Amino acid sequence: MKLNRIVALSALVVVLGSCNNDDDGTTVEPARPLSEVLAEDEAEIQTYLKTHYYNYEEFKNPSEDFDYQIEVMEIGEGDADKRTLLEDAVPIKVDVPSSHFLISGEETTVAHTMYYLEVREGLGEALSVADSAFVRYSGNLIDGTVFDENNVDFPLWFDLASLQAPATSTFTGTAARGFSEGAALIKGGKPAVVNEEDGTYSVEDYGIGMFIFPSGLGYYNIERTSIPAYSPLIFKLDMYAVNQTDHDGDGIPSIEEDTNGDGYLFNDDADDDGFPDYLDAD
C-alpha cells in the first residue's frame, strides 16, 4: 500500500470519542435490558453471516491489479459453492456491564459475541485494546449503509483505549467499544518505507480484517444521524501500524494498568478517585 503523504508514525495519536464523523446531533432513547436487545441483534447478525460471503478467492489468488479491499456480497443463485461469512467468522466473547449504558436492575454483566474475520494476517506488530492504531477503515450497517469511512490514501490514528469509554464517562463521550476490541485482533504491517524524493511512503504486509458486533458493543440506545438506535455494526479495517501507549506518562504501558486482566480499562481504579488507572499517574 503506497500512501501519498507522510504522516509520522510516532506522532501524537488522535483521540476520537466516536468512530462516526457525523456531528449533526444525537438522540438518546430509553435504554432497554441488554439481554433483550442482544437476542434481537444476534438473530440479525446470524442471518447476515449465513447469507453473505466476501471475496476470499481474490485474496487467495490476487491478480496484479487487486486492491486488497474486502468486498461483501449476498449469496444468490449460482453461489451455492461460496463459503459464507459464518464459516469464516471467529466468535469472540466480550462482557458488557449494564452500567455502561446506565441500565439499572438485576442484570449486571452480559456476555456479547462479536464475529471476527482475519482476511490477511499482518506481518508486523500486534497490539492491545490500550494501544494506538494507524488504520484505514469503513463502517456500515447490516443493510449495507456506509455510515463512516476514511480515504484510502489518508489513514488515521485511533486511540483504542478511549473507544472503550462508557456512556457515563466524561473522558471521551460515547464510543463504539467493538471497534477497539476488533482492531486489537489485527496485526500491523512491516515498517514504513519512505520515498525521500516525493514524500510518499509504503507499508507492506499489513493486516486486513472485518468484524461484526451487536449494538451493546456499539452505540446501543443512542441514535446518530446515520445510525439508528440498537444497530449492530460492521467494520472493515486495514492495520498499517501500531503504537504501544502510556497514556498517563508514568512509565507503565497502559495495557499493564488493566490490573484485573479483563481487557477493559475503565473498571480499574486502584485509588477510587474516579480516574481509571491507565489515565492516573498517581
Side-chain angles (χ1 to χ4, degrees):
M1 168 59 66
K2 190 172 184 179
L3 305 168
N4 62 17
R5 70 170 184 173
I6 294 178
V7 178
L9 298 185
S10 61
L12 180 67
V13 176
V14 176
V15 179
L16 299 179
S18 166
C19 295
N20 190 330
N21 290 330
D22 258 327
D23 293 320
D24 296 334
T26 59
T27 301
V28 182
E29 295 188 6
R32 295 164 54 197
L34 280 175
S35 57
E36 177 183 298
V37 174
L38 178 60
E40 297 170 1
D41 287 353
E42 180 66 19
E44 192 174 1
I45 291 172
Q46 285 291 317
T47 297
Y48 180 83
L49 293 173
K50 293 174 182 176
T51 57
H52 290 75
Y53 70 100
Y54 80 97
N55 53 332
Y56 57 86
E57 292 170 325
E58 290 186 289
F59 277 93
K60 184 177 181 181
N61 298 298
S63 62
E64 288 187 6
D65 60 350
F66 182 49
D67 61 4
Y68 288 91
Q69 295 298 299
I70 300 171
E71 183 179 357
V72 177
M73 294 149 284
E74 188 171 5
I75 295 175
E77 293 183 14
D79 292 332
D81 61 334
K82 298 300 183 183
R83 198 170 68 225
T84 66
L85 293 176
L86 184 62
E87 295 175 82
D88 286 320
V90 176
I92 297 170
K93 295 289 186 182
V94 180
D95 288 336
V96 178
S98 294
S99 59
H100 192 108
F101 300 106
L102 299 176
I103 303 172
S104 59
E106 296 180 2
E107 228 175 39
T108 55
T109 301
V110 177
H112 285 54
T113 302
M114 64 181 297
Y115 296 87
Y116 170 61
L117 289 86
E118 183 179 68
V119 176
R120 185 177 76 176
E121 183 179 10
L123 298 184
E125 296 181 45
L127 73 165
S128 75
V129 293
D131 295 327
S132 304
F134 190 53
V135 304
R136 184 264 174 188
Y137 71 97
S138 174
N140 63 273
L141 306 178
I142 280 182
D143 67 6
T145 300
V146 176
F147 58 80
D148 194 16
E149 61 185 345
N150 65 321
N151 188 302
V152 66
D153 292 326
F154 297 92
L156 295 173
W157 277 109
F158 276 87
D159 175 23
L160 299 186
S162 71
L163 298 181
Q164 289 193 329
T168 56
S169 174
T170 59
F171 300 108
T172 61
T174 304
R177 179 183 170 189
F179 186 96
S180 173
E181 301 287 343
L185 300 171
I186 306 175
K187 290 182 179 180
K190 292 179 179 177
V193 177
V194 179
N195 184 331
E196 299 294 348
E197 294 183 1
D198 62 8
T200 64
Y201 63 94
S202 61
V203 178
E204 301 295 334
D205 297 316
Y206 53 88
I208 302 173
M210 173 178 168
F211 38 94
I212 305 170
F213 50 84
S215 61
L217 289 169
Y219 299 109
Y220 203 58
N221 61 319
I222 298 177
E223 178 181 344
R224 306 187 69 87
T225 302
S226 52
I227 305 177
Y230 304 114
S231 292
L233 302 179
I234 302 171
F235 282 95
K236 304 169 189 174
L237 191 148
D238 299 335
M239 180 68 70
Y240 297 129
V242 306
N243 185 44
Q244 188 181 68
T245 307
D246 173 14
H247 288 80
D248 57 9
D250 62 357
I252 303 172
S254 292
I255 190 58
E256 294 183 16
E257 300 197 73
D258 172 28
T259 52
N260 60 14
D262 65 353
Y264 185 53
L265 299 172
F266 283 83
N267 62 1
D268 299 283
D269 183 5
D271 55 7
D272 293 320
D273 64 353
F275 286 88
D277 292 340
Y278 89 99
L279 293 176
D280 189 354
D282 295 332

Short mmCIF file of all heavy atoms in Angstrom, two decimals, residues 166 168-171 265-280 282:
data_model
loop_
_atom_site.label_atom_id
_atom_site.label_comp_id
_atom_site.label_asym_id
_atom_site.label_seq_id
_atom_site.Cartn_x
_atom_site.Cartn_y
_atom_site.Cartn_z
N PRO A 166 -17.37 4.27 28.63
CA PRO A 166 -18.82 4.05 28.75
C PRO A 166 -19.61 5.33 28.50
O PRO A 166 -19.05 6.43 28.48
CB PRO A 166 -18.99 3.58 30.19
CG PRO A 166 -17.83 4.18 30.92
CD PRO A 166 -16.70 4.18 29.93
N THR A 168 -21.43 6.84 30.42
CA THR A 168 -21.38 7.70 31.60
C THR A 168 -20.07 8.45 31.73
O THR A 168 -19.91 9.28 32.61
CB THR A 168 -21.59 6.85 32.86
OG1 THR A 168 -20.59 5.82 32.90
CG2 THR A 168 -22.96 6.23 32.87
N SER A 169 -19.10 8.14 30.86
CA SER A 169 -17.76 8.69 31.00
C SER A 169 -17.70 10.15 30.58
O SER A 169 -18.37 10.56 29.65
CB SER A 169 -16.77 7.87 30.17
OG SER A 169 -15.50 8.47 30.18
N THR A 170 -16.85 10.91 31.27
CA THR A 170 -16.61 12.30 30.88
C THR A 170 -15.31 12.43 30.09
O THR A 170 -14.92 13.52 29.72
CB THR A 170 -16.50 13.19 32.14
OG1 THR A 170 -15.42 12.72 32.96
CG2 THR A 170 -17.79 13.18 32.91
N PHE A 171 -14.66 11.29 29.83
CA PHE A 171 -13.34 11.34 29.20
C PHE A 171 -13.43 11.54 27.69
O PHE A 171 -12.70 12.32 27.11
CB PHE A 171 -12.55 10.07 29.52
CG PHE A 171 -12.34 9.88 30.99
CD1 PHE A 171 -13.01 8.89 31.69
CD2 PHE A 171 -11.47 10.71 31.68
CE1 PHE A 171 -12.82 8.72 33.04
CE2 PHE A 171 -11.27 10.55 33.04
CZ PHE A 171 -11.95 9.55 33.73
N LEU A 265 -10.43 -1.26 30.42
CA LEU A 265 -9.60 -0.33 31.19
C LEU A 265 -10.37 0.57 32.14
O LEU A 265 -9.78 1.17 33.04
CB LEU A 265 -8.80 0.55 30.22
CG LEU A 265 -7.85 -0.20 29.29
CD1 LEU A 265 -7.27 0.75 28.26
CD2 LEU A 265 -6.74 -0.86 30.08
N PHE A 266 -11.68 0.65 31.97
CA PHE A 266 -12.45 1.61 32.75
C PHE A 266 -13.02 1.05 34.05
O PHE A 266 -13.77 1.73 34.74
CB PHE A 266 -13.56 2.22 31.89
CG PHE A 266 -13.05 3.26 30.93
CD1 PHE A 266 -12.51 2.88 29.72
CD2 PHE A 266 -13.08 4.60 31.25
CE1 PHE A 266 -12.01 3.83 28.83
CE2 PHE A 266 -12.58 5.56 30.38
CZ PHE A 266 -12.04 5.17 29.16
N ASN A 267 -12.66 -0.18 34.41
CA ASN A 267 -13.06 -0.70 35.72
C ASN A 267 -11.85 -0.97 36.61
O ASN A 267 -11.93 -1.73 37.57
CB ASN A 267 -13.92 -1.96 35.58
CG ASN A 267 -13.19 -3.11 34.90
OD1 ASN A 267 -12.02 -2.98 34.55
ND2 ASN A 267 -13.88 -4.22 34.70
N ASP A 268 -10.73 -0.32 36.29
CA ASP A 268 -9.52 -0.41 37.11
C ASP A 268 -9.24 0.97 37.69
O ASP A 268 -8.81 1.88 36.98
CB ASP A 268 -8.32 -0.87 36.27
CG ASP A 268 -8.53 -2.25 35.66
OD1 ASP A 268 -8.40 -3.24 36.40
OD2 ASP A 268 -8.83 -2.32 34.45
N ASP A 269 -9.50 1.14 38.98
CA ASP A 269 -9.32 2.42 39.65
C ASP A 269 -8.82 2.14 41.07
O ASP A 269 -9.57 2.12 42.04
CB ASP A 269 -10.64 3.20 39.68
CG ASP A 269 -10.50 4.59 40.29
OD1 ASP A 269 -9.37 4.99 40.60
OD2 ASP A 269 -11.54 5.25 40.48
N ALA A 270 -7.51 1.93 41.19
CA ALA A 270 -6.91 1.47 42.44
C ALA A 270 -7.12 2.43 43.60
O ALA A 270 -7.29 2.01 44.75
CB ALA A 270 -5.42 1.21 42.24
N ASP A 271 -7.13 3.75 43.32
CA ASP A 271 -7.26 4.70 44.43
C ASP A 271 -8.66 5.32 44.52
O ASP A 271 -8.87 6.28 45.27
CB ASP A 271 -6.20 5.80 44.32
CG ASP A 271 -6.24 6.53 42.98
OD1 ASP A 271 -7.17 6.27 42.19
OD2 ASP A 271 -5.33 7.35 42.73
N ASP A 272 -9.60 4.77 43.75
CA ASP A 272 -11.00 5.21 43.83
C ASP A 272 -11.17 6.72 43.69
O ASP A 272 -11.98 7.34 44.38
CB ASP A 272 -11.63 4.76 45.17
CG ASP A 272 -11.76 3.25 45.25
OD1 ASP A 272 -12.12 2.63 44.23
OD2 ASP A 272 -11.49 2.70 46.33
N ASP A 273 -10.41 7.31 42.77
CA ASP A 273 -10.53 8.76 42.60
C ASP A 273 -11.36 9.13 41.37
O ASP A 273 -11.46 10.30 41.01
CB ASP A 273 -9.14 9.40 42.51
CG ASP A 273 -8.36 8.95 41.28
OD1 ASP A 273 -8.83 8.03 40.56
OD2 ASP A 273 -7.27 9.50 41.04
N GLY A 274 -11.96 8.13 40.74
CA GLY A 274 -12.80 8.40 39.58
C GLY A 274 -12.05 8.39 38.26
O GLY A 274 -12.69 8.54 37.20
N PHE A 275 -10.74 8.22 38.31
CA PHE A 275 -9.95 8.13 37.08
C PHE A 275 -9.46 6.70 36.90
O PHE A 275 -8.85 6.13 37.81
CB PHE A 275 -8.75 9.08 37.14
CG PHE A 275 -9.11 10.52 36.97
CD1 PHE A 275 -9.47 11.28 38.09
CD2 PHE A 275 -9.08 11.12 35.74
CE1 PHE A 275 -9.81 12.63 37.95
CE2 PHE A 275 -9.41 12.46 35.59
CZ PHE A 275 -9.78 13.22 36.70
N PRO A 276 -9.68 6.10 35.74
CA PRO A 276 -9.14 4.76 35.51
C PRO A 276 -7.62 4.80 35.60
O PRO A 276 -6.99 5.81 35.27
CB PRO A 276 -9.62 4.41 34.10
CG PRO A 276 -9.95 5.71 33.45
CD PRO A 276 -10.40 6.62 34.55
N ASP A 277 -7.04 3.70 36.05
CA ASP A 277 -5.60 3.68 36.32
C ASP A 277 -4.76 4.05 35.12
O ASP A 277 -3.70 4.67 35.27
CB ASP A 277 -5.20 2.28 36.82
CG ASP A 277 -5.77 1.96 38.19
OD1 ASP A 277 -6.14 2.91 38.90
OD2 ASP A 277 -5.87 0.77 38.53
N TYR A 278 -5.19 3.72 33.92
CA TYR A 278 -4.35 4.00 32.75
C TYR A 278 -4.25 5.49 32.45
O TYR A 278 -3.38 5.92 31.70
CB TYR A 278 -4.85 3.22 31.55
CG TYR A 278 -5.89 3.89 30.69
CD1 TYR A 278 -5.54 4.55 29.50
CD2 TYR A 278 -7.25 3.88 31.03
CE1 TYR A 278 -6.51 5.17 28.71
CE2 TYR A 278 -8.21 4.48 30.23
CZ TYR A 278 -7.84 5.13 29.08
OH TYR A 278 -8.78 5.74 28.28
N LEU A 279 -5.15 6.29 33.06
CA LEU A 279 -5.12 7.75 32.91
C LEU A 279 -4.65 8.45 34.17
O LEU A 279 -4.62 9.68 34.23
CB LEU A 279 -6.50 8.28 32.54
CG LEU A 279 -7.05 7.90 31.17
CD1 LEU A 279 -8.48 8.41 31.01
CD2 LEU A 279 -6.16 8.45 30.06
N ASP A 280 -4.25 7.70 35.18
CA ASP A 280 -3.96 8.25 36.51
C ASP A 280 -2.52 7.96 36.89
O ASP A 280 -2.19 6.85 37.29
CB ASP A 280 -4.93 7.65 37.52
CG ASP A 280 -4.85 8.32 38.88
OD1 ASP A 280 -3.97 9.18 39.06
OD2 ASP A 280 -5.68 7.99 39.76
N ASP A 282 -1.02 8.76 39.41
CA ASP A 282 -0.88 8.51 40.85
C ASP A 282 -1.12 7.05 41.19
O ASP A 282 -0.99 6.66 42.35
CB ASP A 282 -1.86 9.37 41.64
CG ASP A 282 -1.55 10.85 41.49
OD1 ASP A 282 -0.36 11.16 41.25
OD2 ASP A 282 -2.47 11.67 41.60
#
